[in-house]
Amino acid sequence: MDEIRITGGIPLDGEIAVQGSKNAALPLMAAAVLNKGVTVLLGCPRISDVFAMEEVLKSLGARTRWEQDTLILDTGQIHRVDVKRELGEKMRSSIVLLGSLLGRFGEAVLPYPGGCVIGERPVDLHLMALKQLGVRFYEEDGMLCAKAEKFAGGAICFPKPSVGATQNAVLGAVCAPGKTVIRGCSREPEVLWLCRFLNMAGGRIQGIGTDCLEIEGAAELHDIVMEIPPDRIAAGTYVCASAVTRGRGVLRKAPVSEMGALLHVYKKMGGQYTFNSGKLSLCSCGVKYPVRGLRTQVYPGFPTDLQSVLLAVLSTVKGESRIEETIFEDRFKVVPELRKMGADISVCRSTAWIRGGMLEGAKVCARELRGGAALVVAGLAAKGETCVENRHFIERGYEDICRDLSLLGACIRKD
Ligand code: EPZ
């Protein structure tokens, strides 16, 4: 079966180690293509999106193997530049291979990633950026084809921030001869980790952490071993799991320096935490205050990826809360499922109003990754049993949410 069953009402209390970051691992796997050798990723999350990216790399000629949670990528033998339709459509993040295939081979063929439940997910900013490096795009059999006829550094200016487009621009520029200046870059940690990885491998990127990156195209990148950073969204999900059950919990390796916005909201709700020797210790017994006016924003603002999970928490907090979603045009799709559990949420355009109360266990359906996680979090507080269908969506980003929440004291199992 493809379900998760939760018996709610148990205040969490336990300890887990936070998994490696999905959104850091995927671009680093794409970046490995720029190295004609071996790249070792330590602490790599064993999630279906990583396995899907691994299949794509193998289809291009890479050799891969796992040693526990270490992923070893030998990309020296890559001899193809075309990502098969059925592989690329399985995981829209394969679009980030565009920059690295162009950087190494000067050409690439990929399926259009297409939209998803949370929004249209266009790629116009990716194409705009790479065109500034001399790339020509055309379509053949419905596939996106790219040729770097005269690949060279250039000036890129993003009219609005895009994490993936920034990553593609960096991956293309790091090997393009000459200097590239990218303005309007996203500053998400996953962009910083990619730049640090590339500099460790021989890249020459300056301005890391700012919205302006200067890149000297490096001829060759070399082998490196890199530890995948802990997943700030998975960690934030487990902070919300503690909050929704008014329990406690200890998260080892939580990337607290990247979780400022979430922890600020956690404290506003009445949560308390301490952080020392790499452990984030939570106490949620005082969680009772609604959050009046919260907007999702680009980093370091409140992350859109935790908006649905926070909806679940605020559905149990008396009083009226309000969240405005400013990043994706369709990221309240989980609301009808939360309403099946008794959540009192109304949505008008990009704003949700939440009136907290009691949740009842129900049979609900995940339709995408973070909405699925939100339903599990809601089930932790709901009276009785909740069954979340389509567990596979959640497994795209969480290594084993049942394992982790069980260790934190939840009554939860896969079905
Ligand atoms: C990354 O997606 C993350 N995915 C998303 O996490 C995350 O929600 C998002 O960044 C925002 O933080 C990965 O890192 C694999 P964007 P990405 O380009 O790069 C619009 C999860 O749950 N846009 O920053 O695709 C776009 O429609 C996933 O882990 C364009 O208009 O996000 C959106 O409204 C979900 N044109 C906004 O920009 C473009 O060419 C931000 O998108 C590209 C994007």
Side-chain angles (χ1 to χ4, degrees):
M1 302 277 274
D2 185 20
E3 297 169 347
I4 291 178
R5 289 183 184 277
I6 308 113
T7 302
I10 303 168
L12 296 193
D13 193 359
E15 182 169 330
I16 60 163
V18 175
Q19 71 175 61
S21 164
K22 163 179 95 81
N23 292 349
L26 295 172
L28 296 190
M29 292 174 74
V33 168
L34 290 170
N35 167 27
K36 302 185 185 77
V38 177
T39 301
V40 178
L41 299 177
L42 307 173
C44 197
R46 301 180 70 90
I47 54 177
S48 54
D49 268 15
V50 164
F51 299 141
M53 181 65 96
E54 187 186 359
E55 284 314 301
V56 171
L57 293 180
K58 283 160 73 174
S59 74
L60 301 176
R63 287 199 295 261
T64 70
R65 78 169 194 283
W66 287 88
E67 287 176 7
Q68 281 86 37
D69 64 354
T70 296
L71 175 59
I72 297 140
L73 301 170
D74 179 345
T75 47
Q77 315 305 322
I78 286 184
H79 55 277
R80 298 181 67 105
V81 296
D82 58 323
V83 175
K84 292 189 180 62
R85 196 189 306 276
E86 64 278 11
L87 288 178
E89 286 173 344
K90 242 163 87 176
M91 200 247 328
R92 65 175 319 281
S93 314
S94 47
I95 188 74
V96 81
L97 280 165
L98 198 52
S100 47
L101 287 170
L102 284 163
R104 177 163 168 189
F105 299 101
E107 55 180 321
V109 178
L110 290 112
Y112 282 96
C116 72
V117 172
I118 64 175
E120 261 308 294
R121 314 299 295 274
V123 292
D124 57 307
L125 297 175
H126 297 244
L127 308 187
M128 176 280 291
L130 292 165
K131 278 178 187 163
Q132 294 300 102
L133 305 183
V135 178
R136 180 173 64 85
F137 291 98
Y138 58 99
E139 199 171 296
E140 217 159 76
D141 300 334
M143 297 289 274
L144 171 64
C145 304
K147 266 218 185 329
E149 266 134 16
K150 44 179 184 29
F151 205 40
I156 298 169
C157 184
F158 285 112
K160 66 179 224 179
S162 159
V163 173
T166 301
Q167 291 169 335
N168 254 332
V170 168
L171 288 165
V174 82
C175 288
K179 180 174 180 176
T180 296
V181 178
I182 311 174
R183 289 188 171 78
C185 298
S186 286
R187 293 170 45 216
E188 269 66 7
E190 294 76 30
V191 172
L192 277 65
W193 287 109
L194 174 65
C195 294
R196 289 173 188 145
F197 171 94
L198 291 167
N199 277 0
M200 275 170 63
R204 287 173 297 185
I205 304 170
Q206 293 185 324
I208 297 177
T210 74
D211 65 354
C212 179
L213 294 173
E214 297 202 2
I215 301 172
E216 279 302 332
E220 293 282 315
L221 297 187
H222 53 70
D223 294 2
I224 61 162
V225 179
M226 172 105 171
E227 172 99 32
I228 300 283
D231 192 314
R232 63 189 174 101
I233 304 302
T237 303
Y238 296 130
V239 170
C240 289
S242 166
V244 86
T245 63
R246 314 299 190 266
R248 310 174 79 84
V250 176
L251 307 182
R252 289 196 311 275
K253 297 178 15 181
V256 166
S257 63
E258 298 172 353
M259 298 171 64
L262 183 271
L263 290 171
H264 175 70
V265 169
Y266 176 64
K267 273 172 56 178
K268 275 179 75 171
M269 291 192 291
Q272 294 176 311
Y273 68 90
T274 56
F275 182 66
N276 42 52
S277 51
K279 289 186 176 183
L280 175 62
S281 302
L282 305 165
C283 175
S284 305
C285 38
V287 169
K288 59 184 173 197
Y289 303 108
V291 175
R292 297 271 179 246
L294 181 71
R295 301 175 82 230
T296 63
Q297 288 174 309
V298 295
Y299 191 86
F302 188 88
T304 174
D305 291 349
L306 285 173
Q307 176 257 94
S308 300
V309 173
L310 185 66
L311 274 185
V313 179
L314 293 173
S315 297
T316 69
V317 174
K318 287 216 176 336
E320 179 170 276
S321 299
R322 181 166 59 85
I323 301 182
E324 185 187 354
E325 170 60 50
T326 71
I327 307 292
F328 288 105
E329 69 274 24
D330 229 350
R331 205 159 202 180
F332 288 126
K333 277 284 172 51
V334 70
V335 168
E337 297 302 308
L338 287 171
R339 285 184 184 134
K340 288 179 187 171
M341 302 174 72
D344 179 356
I345 304 174
S346 43
V347 173
C348 178
R349 284 191 294 281
S350 63
T351 302
W353 284 264
I354 310 105
R355 279 160 296 281
M358 295 300 289
L359 296 180
E360 296 282 331
K363 192 180 189 77
V364 290
C365 192
R367 300 192 195 293
E368 41 85 24
L369 167 57
R370 305 302 177 186
L375 294 171
V376 171
V377 166
L380 294 172
K383 202 152 124 294
E385 183 174 87
T386 295
C387 174
V388 180
E389 295 176 318
N390 291 339
R391 170 170 30 99
H392 64 274
F393 281 120
I394 300 170
E395 289 169 338
R396 286 191 47 206
Y398 295 86
E399 204 167 49
D400 191 339
I401 200 165
C402 292
R403 171 201 66 197
D404 288 347
L405 288 172
S406 297
L407 285 171
L408 285 170
C411 178
I412 183 171
R413 71 173 196 276
K414 291 178 190 170
D415 233 4

